[in-house]
Amino acid sequence: MQFTSLPTSWNIDQILDDLNTSGFALVDNVYPHEYVRDLVQECSSNLEAFRAAGIQNGVVSHIRSDHILWIDDQLPIAQQHINTLENLAQAFNQAFYLGIKEVEAHFACYNAGEFYALHRDNPQQKNDRMISTVFYLHESWQEDWGGQLRLQDKNDQWHIIPPVSNRLVIFQSDLLHEVLLSKQQRLSITAWLRSSNSIWNG
Ligand code: OGA
Ligand code: MN
């Protein structure tokens, strides 16, 4: 099968190989600049609709201080990224038999001083998230702004990944990771490739 609908710059064999050996993969310069610009615009123009991610059903958690907006058909630019991830999921299903059936995603905005403490997106197979992806969509990022993703790979090695603009990080949802304190506004889309249709939003 050909994955013609993945951006041509993606090296799918490399992604599969990296996921297989270390449980995570990085793709840089993911999309054309014009798309990233449109996505930043769609994200920024909806910021007032973002909700504190640490508050769910009125319960406040201090593990994270970012704000999020779940992505649906009302956000057509972001939806294109979801479509790309659906194609990527087909490749993962073929290579790893993951049985991914859907993609669930939200924008995230970390303002200066915000973070997400150490966690797993799918601790002890508690939910149906198989693969986590994070795409960084701010226009630029400087080294001293912090906000790195710190991730433990499946061989227990730690990696510090700067949220470089137009970068996609792909990792197994059971891996331990955190978002270090960000000193500037940090915009991203987190998306999970899920094996079924449960309503878990943790
Ligand atoms: C998450 C997450 C990492 C990042 O949204 O669950 O861990 O780099 N995000 O934004
Ligand atoms: Mn996470």
Side-chain angles (χ1 to χ4, degrees), residues 58-130:
V59 180
V60 181
S61 146
H62 298 290
I63 188 180
R64 63 191 297 185
S65 47
D66 59 316
H67 288 71
I68 62 170
L69 179 67
W70 290 95
I71 293 166
D72 59 19
D73 301 345
Q74 305 302 306
L75 298 165
I77 313 290
Q79 201 63 54
Q80 293 177 43
H81 173 57
I82 313 292
N83 293 345
T84 302
L85 294 177
E86 284 169 355
N87 293 322
L88 188 63
Q90 286 183 31
F92 293 166
N93 282 346
Q94 281 214 337
F96 305 126
Y97 307 101
L98 293 181
I100 295 161
K101 296 205 178 75
E102 67 165 30
V103 177
E104 165 194 52
H106 63 57
F107 279 118
C109 174
Y110 292 73
N111 286 313
E114 297 182 346
F115 63 89
Y116 191 164
L118 216 51
H119 68 282
R120 300 174 204 269
D121 293 346
N122 187 358
Q124 282 117 37
Q125 260 80 68
K126 200 172 98 177
N127 59 58
D128 54 23
R129 293 171 173 172
M130 308 299 290

Side-chain angles (χ1 to χ4, degrees), residues 15-71:
I15 295 171
L16 295 175
D17 202 45
D18 290 348
L19 272 175
N20 197 35
T21 50
S22 53
F24 86 103
L26 286 186
V27 189
D28 278 322
N29 301 312
V30 171
Y31 294 119
H33 180 71
E34 303 74 52
Y35 175 74
V36 180
R37 193 194 52 209
D38 291 351
L39 196 54
V40 172
Q41 165 64 26
E42 184 174 73
C43 179
S44 303
S45 63
N46 283 284
L47 281 178
E48 71 284 356
F50 282 48
R51 296 285 173 260
I55 304 177
Q56 270 184 51
N57 304 321
V59 180
V60 181
S61 146
H62 298 290
I63 188 180
R64 63 191 297 185
S65 47
D66 59 316
H67 288 71
I68 62 170
L69 179 67
W70 290 95
I71 293 166

